[in-house]
């Protein structure tokens, strides 16, 4: 039996290649593959930039952070993170990753 952490994920594609991803709940080892698939789908649909809203995300682990960094890499750094708490903002800034 597999127990999954709850993650609500809403992705949208807009005009001009702008896409958005709203995450709520837990982004961790069990839910990060869902986020990666959603990002891959958005890129396949023509997304050239992405806004990720984390305002309702209550937990994130290293695998979740890696999924966000991979999004930045897949979109050439055209990823904007919104709603992240100060600790996560500092962590992402310290990676010097293209977000």
């Amino acid at each position: 039996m597999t127990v999954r952490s709850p993650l609500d994920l809403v992705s949208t594609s807009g005009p001009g290649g702008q896409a958005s991803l709203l995450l709520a709940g837990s982004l961790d080892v069990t839910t990060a593959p869902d986020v990666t698939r959603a990002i891959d789908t958005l890129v396949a649909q023509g997304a050239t930039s992405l806004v990720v809203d984390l305002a309702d995300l209550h937990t994130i682990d290293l695998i979740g952070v890696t999924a966000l960094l991979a999004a930045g890499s897949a979109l050439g750094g055209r990823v904007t993170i919104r709603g992240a708490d100060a600790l996560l903002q500092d962590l992402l800034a310290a990676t010097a990753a293209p977000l």
Side-chain angles (χ1 to χ4, degrees):
M1 176 177 173
T2 301
V3 177
R4 293 186 51 100
S5 300
L7 176 73
D8 292 323
L9 182 153
V10 177
S11 63
T12 57
S13 295
Q18 177 65 49
S20 64
L21 193 59
L22 172 67
L23 303 177
S26 296
L27 177 52
D28 57 27
V29 67
T30 61
T31 59
D34 298 333
V35 173
T36 300
R37 276 190 295 279
I39 293 166
D40 290 346
T41 298
L42 290 168
V43 170
Q45 292 172 345
T48 57
S49 63
L50 178 66
V51 174
V52 182
D53 185 338
L54 304 177
D56 293 322
L57 194 69
H58 58 79
T59 58
I60 185 168
D61 69 6
L62 181 58
I63 302 301
V65 171
T66 301
L68 296 178
L69 297 175
S73 184
L75 289 161
R78 293 177 302 275
V79 175
T80 301
I81 304 291
R82 293 196 178 141
D85 65 24
L87 181 61
L88 181 55
Q89 289 175 15
D90 289 346
L91 177 63
L92 292 172
T95 67
L99 288 176

